[in-house]
mmCIF file of all heavy atoms in Angstrom:
data_model
loop_
_atom_site.group_PDB
_atom_site.id
_atom_site.type_symbol
_atom_site.label_atom_id
_atom_site.label_comp_id
_atom_site.label_asym_id
_atom_site.label_seq_id
_atom_site.Cartn_x
_atom_site.Cartn_y
_atom_site.Cartn_z
ATOM 1 N N GLY A 1 -148.322 -177.331 33.991
ATOM 2 C CA GLY A 1 -148.371 -178.423 33.006
ATOM 3 C C GLY A 1 -147.161 -178.398 32.161
ATOM 4 O O GLY A 1 -146.518 -179.384 31.870
ATOM 5 N N LEU A 2 -146.709 -177.198 31.712
ATOM 6 C CA LEU A 2 -145.533 -177.084 30.943
ATOM 7 C C LEU A 2 -144.312 -177.541 31.742
ATOM 8 O O LEU A 2 -143.367 -178.137 31.292
ATOM 9 C CB LEU A 2 -145.324 -175.711 30.341
ATOM 10 C CG LEU A 2 -146.297 -175.274 29.284
ATOM 11 C CD1 LEU A 2 -146.143 -173.721 28.991
ATOM 12 C CD2 LEU A 2 -145.988 -176.075 28.002
ATOM 13 N N ALA A 3 -144.235 -177.064 33.044
ATOM 14 C CA ALA A 3 -143.169 -177.416 33.917
ATOM 15 C C ALA A 3 -143.099 -178.899 34.191
ATOM 16 O O ALA A 3 -141.991 -179.587 34.247
ATOM 17 C CB ALA A 3 -143.197 -176.565 35.214
ATOM 18 N N LEU A 4 -144.209 -179.513 34.412
ATOM 19 C CA LEU A 4 -144.382 -180.983 34.619
ATOM 20 C C LEU A 4 -143.818 -181.768 33.408
ATOM 21 O O LEU A 4 -143.077 -182.663 33.569
ATOM 22 C CB LEU A 4 -145.781 -181.390 34.996
ATOM 23 C CG LEU A 4 -146.186 -181.391 36.450
ATOM 24 C CD1 LEU A 4 -147.668 -181.702 36.486
ATOM 25 C CD2 LEU A 4 -145.440 -182.420 37.250
ATOM 26 N N ALA A 5 -144.301 -181.304 32.261
ATOM 27 C CA ALA A 5 -143.849 -181.913 31.010
ATOM 28 C C ALA A 5 -142.324 -181.775 30.950
ATOM 29 O O ALA A 5 -141.685 -182.714 30.480
ATOM 30 C CB ALA A 5 -144.613 -181.300 29.784
ATOM 31 N N GLY A 6 -141.825 -180.550 31.260
ATOM 32 C CA GLY A 6 -140.415 -180.338 31.205
ATOM 33 C C GLY A 6 -139.556 -181.204 32.040
ATOM 34 O O GLY A 6 -138.411 -181.545 31.785
ATOM 35 N N GLU A 7 -140.151 -181.635 33.293
ATOM 36 C CA GLU A 7 -139.468 -182.489 34.112
ATOM 37 C C GLU A 7 -139.163 -183.871 33.389
ATOM 38 O O GLU A 7 -138.130 -184.524 33.766
ATOM 39 C CB GLU A 7 -140.300 -182.716 35.394
ATOM 40 C CG GLU A 7 -140.509 -181.591 36.272
ATOM 41 C CD GLU A 7 -139.275 -181.008 36.973
ATOM 42 O OE1 GLU A 7 -138.202 -181.654 36.779
ATOM 43 O OE2 GLU A 7 -139.299 -180.050 37.712
ATOM 44 N N GLN A 8 -140.066 -184.275 32.590
ATOM 45 C CA GLN A 8 -139.865 -185.540 31.889
ATOM 46 C C GLN A 8 -139.204 -185.449 30.562
ATOM 47 O O GLN A 8 -138.622 -186.422 29.981
ATOM 48 C CB GLN A 8 -141.157 -186.277 31.739
ATOM 49 C CG GLN A 8 -141.963 -186.558 32.972
ATOM 50 C CD GLN A 8 -141.044 -187.408 33.978
ATOM 51 O OE1 GLN A 8 -140.430 -188.291 33.600
ATOM 52 N NE2 GLN A 8 -141.098 -186.982 35.219
ATOM 53 N N LEU A 9 -139.196 -184.211 29.931
ATOM 54 C CA LEU A 9 -138.525 -184.068 28.714
ATOM 55 C C LEU A 9 -137.031 -183.767 28.980
ATOM 56 O O LEU A 9 -136.587 -182.569 28.744
ATOM 57 C CB LEU A 9 -139.142 -182.908 27.885
ATOM 58 C CG LEU A 9 -140.670 -182.951 27.627
ATOM 59 C CD1 LEU A 9 -141.095 -181.884 26.680
ATOM 60 C CD2 LEU A 9 -141.044 -184.361 27.097
ATOM 61 N N SER A 10 -136.396 -184.623 29.658
ATOM 62 C CA SER A 10 -135.009 -184.352 30.185
ATOM 63 C C SER A 10 -134.005 -185.005 29.332
ATOM 64 O O SER A 10 -134.280 -185.660 28.275
ATOM 65 C CB SER A 10 -134.981 -184.959 31.627
ATOM 66 O OG SER A 10 -135.161 -186.311 31.563
ATOM 67 N N ALA A 11 -132.802 -184.878 29.779
ATOM 68 C CA ALA A 11 -131.654 -185.519 29.122
ATOM 69 C C ALA A 11 -131.730 -186.960 29.101
ATOM 70 O O ALA A 11 -131.488 -187.662 28.092
ATOM 71 C CB ALA A 11 -130.263 -185.115 29.803
ATOM 72 N N ALA A 12 -132.275 -187.596 30.173
ATOM 73 C CA ALA A 12 -132.450 -189.019 30.254
ATOM 74 C C ALA A 12 -133.428 -189.493 29.178
ATOM 75 O O ALA A 12 -133.271 -190.523 28.627
ATOM 76 C CB ALA A 12 -133.020 -189.430 31.629
ATOM 77 N N SER A 13 -134.425 -188.682 28.908
ATOM 78 C CA SER A 13 -135.439 -189.032 27.885
ATOM 79 C C SER A 13 -134.906 -188.874 26.477
ATOM 80 O O SER A 13 -134.938 -189.736 25.644
ATOM 81 C CB SER A 13 -136.701 -188.262 28.081
ATOM 82 O OG SER A 13 -137.276 -188.408 29.421
ATOM 83 N N LEU A 14 -134.501 -187.615 26.214
ATOM 84 C CA LEU A 14 -134.165 -187.270 24.871
ATOM 85 C C LEU A 14 -132.908 -188.030 24.421
ATOM 86 O O LEU A 14 -132.853 -188.521 23.354
ATOM 87 C CB LEU A 14 -133.966 -185.757 24.750
ATOM 88 C CG LEU A 14 -133.576 -185.190 23.339
ATOM 89 C CD1 LEU A 14 -134.761 -185.493 22.361
ATOM 90 C CD2 LEU A 14 -133.376 -183.725 23.361
ATOM 91 N N LEU A 15 -131.848 -188.011 25.184
ATOM 92 C CA LEU A 15 -130.599 -188.627 24.854
ATOM 93 C C LEU A 15 -130.616 -190.142 25.133
ATOM 94 O O LEU A 15 -130.234 -190.931 24.288
ATOM 95 C CB LEU A 15 -129.389 -187.967 25.651
ATOM 96 C CG LEU A 15 -129.343 -186.494 25.512
ATOM 97 C CD1 LEU A 15 -128.161 -186.006 26.292
ATOM 98 C CD2 LEU A 15 -129.142 -186.055 23.972
ATOM 99 N N GLY A 16 -131.088 -190.473 26.293
ATOM 100 C CA GLY A 16 -131.049 -191.959 26.669
ATOM 101 C C GLY A 16 -131.952 -192.819 25.948
ATOM 102 O O GLY A 16 -131.472 -193.905 25.403
ATOM 103 N N ILE A 17 -133.267 -192.475 25.713
ATOM 104 C CA ILE A 17 -134.152 -193.335 25.039
ATOM 105 C C ILE A 17 -133.790 -193.403 23.558
ATOM 106 O O ILE A 17 -133.836 -194.505 22.988
ATOM 107 C CB ILE A 17 -135.611 -192.838 25.239
ATOM 108 C CG1 ILE A 17 -135.974 -192.967 26.769
ATOM 109 C CG2 ILE A 17 -136.522 -193.686 24.406
ATOM 110 C CD1 ILE A 17 -137.355 -192.531 27.103
ATOM 111 N N THR A 18 -133.507 -192.349 23.033
ATOM 112 C CA THR A 18 -133.083 -192.325 21.532
ATOM 113 C C THR A 18 -131.814 -193.193 21.328
ATOM 114 O O THR A 18 -131.866 -194.017 20.386
ATOM 115 C CB THR A 18 -132.786 -190.892 21.019
ATOM 116 O OG1 THR A 18 -133.881 -190.061 21.266
ATOM 117 C CG2 THR A 18 -132.438 -190.897 19.613
ATOM 118 N N GLY A 19 -130.850 -193.071 22.166
ATOM 119 C CA GLY A 19 -129.718 -193.955 22.131
ATOM 120 C C GLY A 19 -130.028 -195.430 22.314
ATOM 121 O O GLY A 19 -129.443 -196.241 21.666
ATOM 122 N N ALA A 20 -130.899 -195.672 23.261
ATOM 123 C CA ALA A 20 -131.258 -197.064 23.603
ATOM 124 C C ALA A 20 -131.982 -197.750 22.378
ATOM 125 O O ALA A 20 -131.762 -198.930 22.007
ATOM 126 C CB ALA A 20 -132.102 -197.135 24.720
ATOM 127 N N VAL A 21 -132.831 -197.011 21.759
ATOM 128 C CA VAL A 21 -133.530 -197.634 20.579
ATOM 129 C C VAL A 21 -132.528 -197.732 19.408
ATOM 130 O O VAL A 21 -132.600 -198.880 18.722
ATOM 131 C CB VAL A 21 -134.691 -196.632 20.187
ATOM 132 C CG1 VAL A 21 -135.277 -197.068 18.775
ATOM 133 C CG2 VAL A 21 -135.798 -196.595 21.220
ATOM 134 N N ALA A 22 -131.579 -196.867 19.224
ATOM 135 C CA ALA A 22 -130.577 -196.997 18.167
ATOM 136 C C ALA A 22 -129.763 -198.213 18.374
ATOM 137 O O ALA A 22 -129.380 -198.894 17.424
ATOM 138 C CB ALA A 22 -129.805 -195.706 18.044
ATOM 139 N N LEU A 23 -129.387 -198.494 19.631
ATOM 140 C CA LEU A 23 -128.412 -199.568 19.938
ATOM 141 C C LEU A 23 -129.088 -200.863 20.146
ATOM 142 O O LEU A 23 -128.532 -201.900 19.844
ATOM 143 C CB LEU A 23 -127.599 -199.256 21.145
ATOM 144 C CG LEU A 23 -126.715 -198.041 21.005
ATOM 145 C CD1 LEU A 23 -125.905 -197.761 22.323
ATOM 146 C CD2 LEU A 23 -125.623 -198.213 19.872
ATOM 147 N N THR A 24 -130.341 -200.921 20.651
ATOM 148 C CA THR A 24 -130.965 -202.193 21.090
ATOM 149 C C THR A 24 -132.279 -202.472 20.267
ATOM 150 O O THR A 24 -132.799 -203.613 20.520
ATOM 151 C CB THR A 24 -131.257 -202.240 22.602
ATOM 152 O OG1 THR A 24 -132.258 -201.278 22.864
ATOM 153 C CG2 THR A 24 -129.948 -201.950 23.407
ATOM 154 N N GLY A 25 -132.739 -201.542 19.462
ATOM 155 C CA GLY A 25 -133.949 -201.827 18.797
ATOM 156 C C GLY A 25 -135.130 -201.646 19.587
ATOM 157 O O GLY A 25 -135.178 -200.750 20.457
ATOM 158 N N PHE A 26 -136.198 -202.456 19.373
ATOM 159 C CA PHE A 26 -137.416 -202.284 20.002
ATOM 160 C C PHE A 26 -137.438 -202.315 21.527
ATOM 161 O O PHE A 26 -138.222 -201.594 22.210
ATOM 162 C CB PHE A 26 -138.412 -203.449 19.571
ATOM 163 C CG PHE A 26 -139.857 -203.220 19.871
ATOM 164 C CD1 PHE A 26 -140.741 -202.352 19.200
ATOM 165 C CD2 PHE A 26 -140.295 -203.844 21.054
ATOM 166 C CE1 PHE A 26 -141.939 -202.120 19.610
ATOM 167 C CE2 PHE A 26 -141.619 -203.622 21.482
ATOM 168 C CZ PHE A 26 -142.558 -202.788 20.732
ATOM 169 N N SER A 27 -136.471 -202.967 22.123
ATOM 170 C CA SER A 27 -136.388 -203.123 23.469
ATOM 171 C C SER A 27 -136.135 -201.774 24.158
ATOM 172 O O SER A 27 -136.520 -201.608 25.261
ATOM 173 C CB SER A 27 -135.264 -204.120 23.984
ATOM 174 O OG SER A 27 -134.021 -203.671 23.443
ATOM 175 N N GLY A 28 -135.449 -200.908 23.489
ATOM 176 C CA GLY A 28 -135.248 -199.492 24.042
ATOM 177 C C GLY A 28 -136.588 -198.777 24.137
ATOM 178 O O GLY A 28 -136.698 -197.772 24.845
ATOM 179 N N PHE A 29 -137.640 -199.218 23.339
ATOM 180 C CA PHE A 29 -138.894 -198.488 23.358
ATOM 181 C C PHE A 29 -139.667 -198.675 24.663
ATOM 182 O O PHE A 29 -140.467 -197.774 25.083
ATOM 183 C CB PHE A 29 -139.786 -199.047 22.187
ATOM 184 C CG PHE A 29 -141.052 -198.295 22.103
ATOM 185 C CD1 PHE A 29 -141.139 -196.959 21.717
ATOM 186 C CD2 PHE A 29 -142.312 -198.955 22.244
ATOM 187 C CE1 PHE A 29 -142.464 -196.324 21.632
ATOM 188 C CE2 PHE A 29 -143.444 -198.342 22.137
ATOM 189 C CZ PHE A 29 -143.569 -197.043 21.855
ATOM 190 N N TYR A 30 -139.272 -199.722 25.457
ATOM 191 C CA TYR A 30 -139.938 -199.883 26.713
ATOM 192 C C TYR A 30 -139.673 -198.703 27.631
ATOM 193 O O TYR A 30 -140.478 -198.450 28.584
ATOM 194 C CB TYR A 30 -139.472 -201.209 27.375
ATOM 195 C CG TYR A 30 -140.065 -202.430 26.666
ATOM 196 C CD1 TYR A 30 -139.237 -203.273 25.977
ATOM 197 C CD2 TYR A 30 -141.303 -202.732 26.790
ATOM 198 C CE1 TYR A 30 -139.552 -204.446 25.378
ATOM 199 C CE2 TYR A 30 -141.814 -203.878 26.039
ATOM 200 C CZ TYR A 30 -140.932 -204.700 25.373
ATOM 201 O OH TYR A 30 -141.427 -205.815 24.783
ATOM 202 N N LEU A 31 -138.503 -198.021 27.425
ATOM 203 C CA LEU A 31 -138.232 -196.890 28.287
ATOM 204 C C LEU A 31 -139.258 -195.788 28.175
ATOM 205 O O LEU A 31 -139.411 -194.993 29.047
ATOM 206 C CB LEU A 31 -136.840 -196.364 27.999
ATOM 207 C CG LEU A 31 -135.622 -197.371 28.197
ATOM 208 C CD1 LEU A 31 -134.382 -196.707 27.679
ATOM 209 C CD2 LEU A 31 -135.473 -197.662 29.688
ATOM 210 N N ALA A 32 -139.939 -195.727 26.957
ATOM 211 C CA ALA A 32 -140.798 -194.620 26.630
ATOM 212 C C ALA A 32 -142.205 -194.980 27.066
ATOM 213 O O ALA A 32 -143.084 -194.026 27.032
ATOM 214 C CB ALA A 32 -140.741 -194.263 25.208
ATOM 215 N N LEU A 33 -142.549 -196.182 27.437
ATOM 216 C CA LEU A 33 -143.919 -196.596 27.633
ATOM 217 C C LEU A 33 -144.481 -196.214 29.081
ATOM 218 O O LEU A 33 -145.641 -195.898 29.278
ATOM 219 C CB LEU A 33 -144.133 -198.077 27.373
ATOM 220 C CG LEU A 33 -143.983 -198.521 25.972
ATOM 221 C CD1 LEU A 33 -144.148 -200.043 25.836
ATOM 222 C CD2 LEU A 33 -144.896 -197.781 25.026
ATOM 223 N N GLY A 34 -143.585 -196.263 30.013
ATOM 224 C CA GLY A 34 -144.041 -196.222 31.365
ATOM 225 C C GLY A 34 -144.457 -194.829 31.875
ATOM 226 O O GLY A 34 -145.224 -194.689 32.685
ATOM 227 N N ILE A 35 -143.894 -193.778 31.262
ATOM 228 C CA ILE A 35 -144.149 -192.428 31.783
ATOM 229 C C ILE A 35 -145.604 -191.945 31.567
ATOM 230 O O ILE A 35 -146.214 -191.477 32.586
ATOM 231 C CB ILE A 35 -143.163 -191.347 31.077
ATOM 232 C CG1 ILE A 35 -141.764 -191.764 31.371
ATOM 233 C CG2 ILE A 35 -143.427 -189.963 31.552
ATOM 234 C CD1 ILE A 35 -141.349 -191.726 32.859
ATOM 235 N N PRO A 36 -146.188 -192.047 30.404
ATOM 236 C CA PRO A 36 -147.662 -191.710 30.336
ATOM 237 C C PRO A 36 -148.496 -192.560 31.269
ATOM 238 O O PRO A 36 -149.427 -191.975 31.867
ATOM 239 C CB PRO A 36 -147.976 -192.038 28.780
ATOM 240 C CG PRO A 36 -146.690 -191.945 28.106
ATOM 241 C CD PRO A 36 -145.648 -192.520 29.040
ATOM 242 N N THR A 37 -148.212 -193.781 31.454
ATOM 243 C CA THR A 37 -148.959 -194.670 32.414
ATOM 244 C C THR A 37 -148.745 -194.131 33.835
ATOM 245 O O THR A 37 -149.754 -193.982 34.553
ATOM 246 C CB THR A 37 -148.452 -196.085 32.324
ATOM 247 O OG1 THR A 37 -148.618 -196.600 31.007
ATOM 248 C CG2 THR A 37 -149.287 -196.964 33.268
ATOM 249 N N ALA A 38 -147.514 -193.752 34.121
ATOM 250 C CA ALA A 38 -147.239 -193.204 35.401
ATOM 251 C C ALA A 38 -147.969 -191.986 35.784
ATOM 252 O O ALA A 38 -148.565 -191.818 36.869
ATOM 253 C CB ALA A 38 -145.718 -192.951 35.597
ATOM 254 N N PHE A 39 -148.132 -191.019 34.829
ATOM 255 C CA PHE A 39 -148.835 -189.861 35.065
ATOM 256 C C PHE A 39 -150.315 -189.973 35.088
ATOM 257 O O PHE A 39 -151.017 -189.216 35.706
ATOM 258 C CB PHE A 39 -148.424 -188.756 34.101
ATOM 259 C CG PHE A 39 -147.304 -187.964 34.523
ATOM 260 C CD1 PHE A 39 -146.046 -188.377 34.343
ATOM 261 C CD2 PHE A 39 -147.476 -186.691 35.133
ATOM 262 C CE1 PHE A 39 -144.880 -187.656 34.900
ATOM 263 C CE2 PHE A 39 -146.451 -185.949 35.677
ATOM 264 C CZ PHE A 39 -145.157 -186.430 35.414
ATOM 265 N N LEU A 40 -150.838 -191.037 34.426
ATOM 266 C CA LEU A 40 -152.246 -191.306 34.583
ATOM 267 C C LEU A 40 -152.538 -191.748 36.106
ATOM 268 O O LEU A 40 -153.556 -191.337 36.686
ATOM 269 C CB LEU A 40 -152.641 -192.414 33.674
ATOM 270 C CG LEU A 40 -154.143 -192.968 33.700
ATOM 271 C CD1 LEU A 40 -155.091 -191.678 33.394
ATOM 272 C CD2 LEU A 40 -154.385 -194.075 32.729
ATOM 273 N N LEU A 41 -151.592 -192.588 36.612
ATOM 274 C CA LEU A 41 -151.768 -192.928 38.037
ATOM 275 C C LEU A 41 -151.601 -191.762 38.961
ATOM 276 O O LEU A 41 -152.376 -191.591 39.972
ATOM 277 C CB LEU A 41 -150.679 -194.038 38.358
ATOM 278 C CG LEU A 41 -150.828 -195.399 37.648
ATOM 279 C CD1 LEU A 41 -149.663 -196.319 38.039
ATOM 280 C CD2 LEU A 41 -152.207 -196.003 37.950
ATOM 281 N N VAL A 42 -150.736 -190.845 38.621
ATOM 282 C CA VAL A 42 -150.581 -189.656 39.455
ATOM 283 C C VAL A 42 -151.813 -188.875 39.420
ATOM 284 O O VAL A 42 -152.341 -188.377 40.467
ATOM 285 C CB VAL A 42 -149.375 -188.796 38.843
ATOM 286 C CG1 VAL A 42 -149.468 -187.379 39.454
ATOM 287 C CG2 VAL A 42 -148.045 -189.463 39.114
ATOM 288 N N LEU A 43 -152.425 -188.709 38.188
ATOM 289 C CA LEU A 43 -153.708 -187.976 38.126
ATOM 290 C C LEU A 43 -154.775 -188.578 39.007
ATOM 291 O O LEU A 43 -155.530 -187.888 39.694
ATOM 292 C CB LEU A 43 -154.130 -187.764 36.661
ATOM 293 C CG LEU A 43 -155.477 -187.246 36.418
ATOM 294 C CD1 LEU A 43 -155.486 -185.718 36.789
ATOM 295 C CD2 LEU A 43 -155.858 -187.384 34.863
ATOM 296 N N LEU A 44 -154.947 -189.871 38.947
ATOM 297 C CA LEU A 44 -156.055 -190.574 39.643
ATOM 298 C C LEU A 44 -155.699 -190.771 41.080
ATOM 299 O O LEU A 44 -156.788 -190.881 41.852
ATOM 300 C CB LEU A 44 -156.198 -191.990 38.957
ATOM 301 C CG LEU A 44 -156.620 -191.980 37.438
ATOM 302 C CD1 LEU A 44 -156.707 -193.459 36.992
ATOM 303 C CD2 LEU A 44 -157.998 -191.211 37.269
ATOM 304 N N ILE A 45 -154.498 -190.804 41.568
ATOM 305 C CA ILE A 45 -154.248 -191.263 42.946
ATOM 306 C C ILE A 45 -153.728 -190.099 43.788
ATOM 307 O O ILE A 45 -154.254 -190.034 44.875
ATOM 308 C CB ILE A 45 -153.302 -192.427 42.882
ATOM 309 C CG1 ILE A 45 -153.855 -193.646 42.182
ATOM 310 C CG2 ILE A 45 -152.844 -192.723 44.287
ATOM 311 C CD1 ILE A 45 -152.907 -194.791 41.995
ATOM 312 N N VAL A 46 -152.795 -189.349 43.384
ATOM 313 C CA VAL A 46 -152.115 -188.503 44.344
ATOM 314 C C VAL A 46 -152.080 -187.004 43.945
ATOM 315 O O VAL A 46 -151.719 -186.162 44.831
ATOM 316 C CB VAL A 46 -150.641 -188.867 44.471
ATOM 317 C CG1 VAL A 46 -150.523 -190.273 45.042
ATOM 318 C CG2 VAL A 46 -149.794 -188.701 43.195
ATOM 319 N N ALA A 47 -152.529 -186.596 42.853
ATOM 320 C CA ALA A 47 -152.397 -185.100 42.455
ATOM 321 C C ALA A 47 -153.188 -184.254 43.438
ATOM 322 O O ALA A 47 -152.625 -183.258 43.980
ATOM 323 C CB ALA A 47 -152.949 -184.949 41.001
#
């Protein structure tokens, strides 16, 4: 679980999403919405 979380707590997440929100405002927040949804599908479908 920690390792799976670590795969998503990456440079793309920490650096990229924070920078996107700072530069583009709310539209950068869309980058953060899909991951929790994705892992719910992973849990239900393929785990």
Side-chain angles (χ1 to χ4, degrees):
L2 289 170
L4 270 174
E7 297 287 1
Q8 299 306 315
L9 310 186
S10 62
S13 302
L14 184 61
L15 304 181
I17 294 177
T18 303
V21 172
L23 295 179
T24 66
F26 187 85
S27 60
F29 183 64
Y30 289 112
L31 297 173
L33 294 178
I35 301 299
T37 304
F39 268 81
L40 179 60
L41 294 176
V42 168
L43 174 64
L44 297 176
I45 297 175
V46 299

